[in-house]
Amino acid sequence: HGRTITVVGRSADVELWATGGLLPRTGASTWAVRVDHSRSNDGNGLWVGVCDTAARCSWGLFLLSGRMRCASQDADGRLDFGAAPPDGYPSGTYKRVLQSGCLARAGAAGAVVEVTLDHDAGSLSFRVNGGQRPPAL
């Protein structure tokens, strides 16, 4: 409720991950992330989603392209977009979820990305600025 995470700088070699608390393992959880700023106001470099308990593998909506991304993080914090997700988990990589460039046209600043993870249904979905919620996984 009302948590704020601010990234004030980053290394070109290491992508930053910001994570919240653990989600319940049953039922559905929904939360929203508001984008206050991105470098070119197009959402490039930002994705919003979920990660495993160890914060080593993530699934999220890449805001610039509107596509799903699955990425793993090595011990040094470097992302590996080619690594397979843990056994039993879907990849979803490059699946189109939203129209490409939807934030580039409207501008990322002020966009609200809502995420719903439904453990019971086995689904992950997103919507931006109250729009439609197509299933991602």
Side-chain angles (χ1 to χ4, degrees), residues 27 32 51 99 104 106:
C51 65
Q99 185 178 357

Side-chain angles (χ1 to χ4, degrees), residues 46-94:
L46 301 174
W47 78 74
V48 176
V50 297
C51 65
D52 64 356
T53 304
R56 291 289 177 204
C57 189
S58 72
W59 299 264
L61 174 65
F62 189 55
L63 300 184
L64 177 66
S65 69
R67 294 182 182 269
M68 281 288 301
R69 294 303 308 260
C70 178
S72 294
Q73 193 175 42
D74 67 18
D76 294 324
R78 289 182 181 83
L79 290 181
D80 182 352
F81 291 102
D87 288 342
Y89 289 91
S91 171
T93 292
Y94 298 117

Side-chain angles (χ1 to χ4, degrees), residues 3-28:
R3 295 183 187 139
T4 301
I5 298 172
T6 302
V7 176
V8 293
R10 66 184 268 307
S11 166
D13 296 331
V14 178
E15 296 290 337
L16 299 174
W17 286 28
T19 60
L22 294 176
L23 297 172
R25 293 181 183 251
T26 60

Side-chain angles (χ1 to χ4, degrees), residues 21-31 117-120:
L22 294 176
L23 297 172
R25 293 181 183 251
T26 60
S29 299
T30 299
W31 64 96
L117 175 65
D118 188 332
H119 283 283
D120 298 341

